[in-house]
Amino acid sequence: MTKCAVCGAAFHAGDYESLSRHFCGLAEKSDPGHVMWLNKNVTKKKTDVIELQRLLQVYFDFRPFGIKGWMKKRFIDRFYGESPHPFVLALQHPSKATLLGYVIEHQHFLRQWTRSCAYIIAKTDKVDVTLYELDNINTEFGGYGPDKPSHYELLLRMGESLGMGREKILATPPLPDTQSAITTWNEIAEKEHWLETMAAMHPLELIANKNLRLDGASVSYFDPLILQGNEVTDATKNFLREGYEADVEHSEVAMDLISKYSAELGTVEGVQATFLMSIDAFDRYLMARLERGKEFESS
Amino acid sequence: MTKCAVCGAAFHAGDYESLSRHFCGLAEKSDPGHVMWLNKNVTKKKTDVIELQRLLQVYFDFRPFGIKGWMKKRFIDRFYGESPHPFVLALQHPSKATLLGYVIEHQHFLRQWTRSCAYIIAKTDKVDVTLYELDNINTEFGGYGPDKPSHYELLLRMGESLGMGREKILATPPLPDTQSAITTWNEIAEKEHWLETMAAMHPLELIANKNLRLDGASVSYFDPLILQGNEVTDATKNFLREGYEADVEHSEVAMDLISKYSAELGTVEGVQATFLMSIDAFDRYLMARLERGKEFESS
């Protein structure tokens, strides 16, 4: 099924003509969501239905890269292209304010992360997917005992090392953009096929994948030099190092499972649309980390 | 909300008059499900609405025991009373056929178990519940590394020790009664509140709780003497011992969480009805283990 990555409107598989008419119709009405999506992803020029159909076909054609390569390419274009995402730029040599913004918003992300992965386990009938997601939740939220604390725990320790008490962190509700992104991810997990939920969540772990530069990313998530020296606290290094290392395997293995099962189940187009909807939410969510950070800039 | 434990029909909280009318109406039409439930749980005599209302009020009154004590009492009445469940009787000194029936049907139970617990994680906003369920899935299905295999793995090894190859076990679909019970549990997990899903699943772990005799059970799940000597294979002992030990803590801790949150959320009556619906399904499922075992009796 071909779906609109903005509103989820569904068309027959491969019917880019209808998708193109859908976009052109809404662009004529100046619908901000659809116009912005076209501008960001396909073209900034005004185009007719036929030209847009051609552009959409090219945009969604994953065959030259495989679905995994296509997702990486789209992710890099969005977050690691010529103008990397503002949060990524801020994280190269992060201020205390940026890191605190990260801590406060990301605790909510990781709670949703756990829920989304649990929905996949709840719905899948594939044992390899169950075991992958179980390990992922353990790493991100449950932890593997005192020697291997979860990323959630490492995040809270980073916050404490920056002078904010755990109770205060936990009691701070998310900003509206974080909440709206969480709602998007929860609705996908509740309503869509488990494979689309995988495609919504795990490619996001590419953000910290240190191998992404080999695939064309212009910068890494942060300047790896900050893991040495005293530019950031030890707890910050522990948190950033963990993600930097775990997320390579997490995102790669998950995308291999997505490739395998989207071919087996014949649902590549749904996977593509849900993935795109999710990276839009992720973009807003990363902006919310920066917005929260501003609260601490004078401190 | 007061619910019928047979069909889920819902009434105002505490409205046992309507529940009693509901049962009397269906009993008059000789509806087999409702009649059997009344016979098994409340009374075998034909009663009028007023008397039935009184009996139902007594049956559902958990105040003398607390909700945890009430669930234990109902569970013992059903499976460990004067006439223990036929599967429990067969497991006291189990034949190879009984154990093979256990293996084949229980693999499907444990897959559903994992899904049901995952739905709880997907829906809850309580961190203690998330961490409890995560540990439970790890113990039952994921395992904690090579030294601590999951119950699912121990079950498969028990089957292998009895001469049935793993591939053959995994390729055998469930019997209709197992499938129907699984469908009941999956529908509860999908549609109901996470607390009701907890109440559907975790009290079932009472079946192997070795402390249940202290609460009035007439026998234990199996004669503990079989854990010594050579009556059963080593892999059978390993499987039975694990359940016998882990399920004490699993069921007790879960029922404490159910008590805590059913009071906090004010949903005790929904919890009671869902628990009762689940033990009906469990009764059928245990019979399916015996039915499957019969296939091996001549061997």
Side-chain angles (χ1 to χ4, degrees):
Chain A
M1 188 180 287
T2 293
K3 291 201 291 188
C4 171
V6 183
C7 66
F11 308 96
H12 289 296
D15 184 1
Y16 291 103
E17 189 186 333
S18 294
L19 182 62
S20 164
R21 279 186 202 290
H22 169 79
F23 268 109
C24 285
L26 286 157
E28 244 165 61
K29 290 179 193 159
S30 302
D31 175 82
H34 288 77
V35 172
M36 212 185 303
W37 191 88
L38 282 181
N39 287 346
K40 268 195 186 162
N41 293 284
V42 183
T43 178
K44 289 193 171 64
K45 287 187 203 147
K46 197 172 152 71
T47 50
D48 61 16
V49 169
I50 292 172
E51 173 62 4
L52 184 58
Q53 179 183 347
R54 194 190 64 78
L55 292 172
L56 285 170
Q57 258 163 341
V58 170
Y59 182 80
F60 282 102
D61 187 5
F62 63 89
R63 288 167 304 175
F65 329 99
I67 186 68
K68 179 175 173 179
W70 182 88
M71 290 191 288
K72 276 190 178 176
K73 182 174 157 56
R74 293 298 162 222
F75 193 90
I76 290 171
D77 285 353
R78 185 61 165 273
F79 299 101
Y80 283 112
E82 278 175 34
S83 320
H85 191 282
F87 181 79
V88 169
L89 291 177
L91 199 65
Q92 296 301 306
H93 291 270
S95 66
K96 186 174 148 187
T98 296
L99 291 171
L100 280 171
Y102 195 165
V103 170
I104 291 180
E105 298 308 306
H106 201 51
Q107 62 170 323
H108 301 292
F109 177 92
L110 285 177
R111 289 290 286 136
Q112 179 56 42
W113 183 268
T114 303
R115 281 194 283 269
S116 291
C117 295
Y119 267 116
I120 298 167
I121 298 177
K123 293 183 179 183
T124 191
D125 57 343
K126 309 295 181 192
V127 172
D128 53 357
V129 171
T130 303
L131 293 175
Y132 168 79
E133 295 296 344
L134 187 54
D135 176 56
N136 194 307
I137 300 179
N138 282 324
T139 309
E140 297 293 339
F141 193 75
Y144 280 110
D147 294 339
K148 283 206 163 188
S150 67
H151 293 189
Y152 183 74
E153 173 61 26
L154 293 174
L155 179 80
L156 297 176
R157 290 183 192 173
M158 171 163 92
E160 289 173 321
S161 79
L162 300 165
M164 179 169 280
R166 184 175 290 242
E167 282 186 16
K168 181 151 185 215
I169 297 168
L170 293 174
T172 308
L175 286 175
D177 274 349
T178 298
Q179 185 54 57
S180 129
I182 284 175
T183 302
T184 298
W185 291 315
N186 202 58
E187 283 176 359
I188 289 170
E190 239 179 49
K191 292 176 195 162
E192 303 296 345
H193 192 279
W194 57 264
L195 186 59
E196 292 193 22
T197 305
M198 286 192 83
M201 305 316 289
H202 297 297
L204 305 182
E205 290 180 287
L206 284 172
I207 195 73
N209 182 329
K210 65 182 172 186
N211 294 342
L212 214 61
R213 295 214 58 183
L214 306 174
D215 294 299
S218 56
V219 291
S220 51
Y221 192 35
F222 49 83
D223 182 342
L225 285 175
I226 65 176
L227 295 180
Q228 297 155 29
N230 294 316
E231 192 178 328
V232 296
T233 63
D234 284 344
T236 300
K237 288 182 215 168
N238 291 341
F239 171 75
L240 291 176
R241 193 183 295 112
E242 266 303 300
Y244 201 53
E245 275 154 22
D247 290 356
V248 175
E249 205 195 317
H250 274 183
S251 57
E252 297 285 344
V253 174
M255 287 193 298
D256 286 336
L257 288 167
I258 294 167
S259 301
K260 172 181 166 186
Y261 288 117
S262 60
E264 192 177 309
L265 302 168
T267 52
V268 178
E269 293 181 314
V271 159
Q272 288 180 296
T274 304
F275 159 77
L276 291 170
M277 203 176 273
S278 175
I279 63 174
D280 268 355
F282 193 57
D283 192 336
R284 291 199 302 280
Y285 160 65
L286 292 182
M287 293 307 292
R289 287 188 190 166
L290 280 181
E291 189 189 335
R292 176 69 77 183
K294 284 185 193 141
E295 289 177 18
F296 303 99
E297 265 174 13
S298 57
S299 74
Chain B
M1 188 180 287
T2 292
K3 289 201 291 188
C4 171
V6 183
C7 65
F11 309 96
H12 288 296
D15 184 1
Y16 291 105
E17 189 187 334
S18 294
L19 182 61
S20 164
R21 280 187 202 290
H22 169 78
F23 268 110
C24 286
L26 285 157
E28 244 166 60
K29 290 180 194 160
S30 303
D31 175 81
H34 287 77
V35 171
M36 212 187 301
W37 191 88
L38 282 180
N39 288 346
K40 268 195 184 161
N41 293 284
V42 183
T43 178
K44 289 194 171 62
K45 288 185 201 150
K46 195 173 152 73
T47 50
D48 61 14
V49 170
I50 291 172
E51 173 60 6
L52 184 58
Q53 179 182 347
R54 194 189 65 77
L55 292 172
L56 286 170
Q57 258 162 343
V58 170
Y59 182 80
F60 282 102
D61 188 6
F62 63 89
R63 287 167 305 177
F65 328 100
I67 186 68
K68 179 175 173 179
W70 182 88
M71 289 191 289
K72 276 191 179 177
K73 183 174 156 56
R74 294 296 161 223
F75 193 90
I76 290 171
D77 285 353
R78 185 61 166 274
F79 298 101
Y80 283 113
E82 280 175 32
S83 318
H85 191 282
F87 181 79
V88 169
L89 291 177
L91 200 64
Q92 295 302 306
H93 291 270
S95 66
K96 188 175 146 186
T98 297
L99 292 171
L100 280 171
Y102 194 165
V103 170
I104 291 179
E105 299 307 305
H106 201 52
Q107 62 171 324
H108 300 292
F109 177 93
L110 285 177
R111 289 290 285 136
Q112 179 55 42
W113 183 268
T114 304
R115 282 194 283 267
S116 290
C117 295
Y119 267 116
I120 299 168
I121 298 177
K123 293 182 179 185
T124 192
D125 56 344
K126 308 295 182 190
V127 172
D128 52 358
V129 170
T130 303
L131 293 175
Y132 168 79
E133 296 296 344
L134 187 53
D135 176 56
N136 196 306
I137 300 178
N138 282 324
T139 309
E140 297 293 341
F141 193 76
Y144 279 110
D147 294 340
K148 283 205 164 189
S150 68
H151 293 189
Y152 182 74
E153 173 62 26
L154 292 174
L155 179 80
L156 296 176
R157 290 183 193 173
M158 171 163 90
E160 288 172 321
S161 79
L162 300 165
M164 180 170 279
R166 183 174 289 241
E167 282 188 14
K168 182 152 184 213
I169 298 168
L170 294 174
T172 309
L175 286 174
D177 275 349
T178 299
Q179 186 54 56
S180 131
I182 284 175
T183 302
T184 298
W185 291 315
N186 202 58
E187 282 176 359
I188 290 170
E190 239 179 48
K191 293 176 193 161
E192 303 295 345
H193 192 279
W194 58 264
L195 185 60
E196 293 193 22
T197 305
M198 286 192 85
M201 305 316 289
H202 297 298
L204 304 182
E205 290 180 287
L206 285 172
I207 196 73
N209 182 330
K210 65 181 171 186
N211 294 341
L212 214 61
R213 295 214 58 183
L214 306 173
D215 293 299
S218 56
V219 291
S220 52
Y221 191 36
F222 50 83
D223 183 341
L225 285 175
I226 65 176
L227 295 181
Q228 298 155 27
N230 294 316
E231 194 178 327
V232 296
T233 62
D234 284 344
T236 301
K237 289 182 213 168
N238 291 341
F239 171 74
L240 290 176
R241 193 184 294 112
E242 265 304 300
Y244 202 53
E245 275 154 22
D247 289 356
V248 175
E249 205 196 318
H250 274 183
S251 58
E252 297 284 344
V253 174
M255 286 193 298
D256 288 335
L257 288 167
I258 295 167
S259 300
K260 172 181 166 187
Y261 288 116
S262 61
E264 191 177 312
L265 302 169
T267 52
V268 179
E269 293 182 313
V271 159
Q272 288 180 296
T274 303
F275 160 76
L276 291 170
M277 202 176 273
S278 175
I279 64 174
D280 268 354
F282 194 56
D283 193 335
R284 291 198 303 280
Y285 161 65
L286 292 182
M287 293 307 292
R289 288 188 189 166
L290 280 181
E291 188 189 337
R292 175 69 76 183
K294 283 185 193 144
E295 289 177 17
F296 303 99
E297 266 174 11
S298 56
S299 73

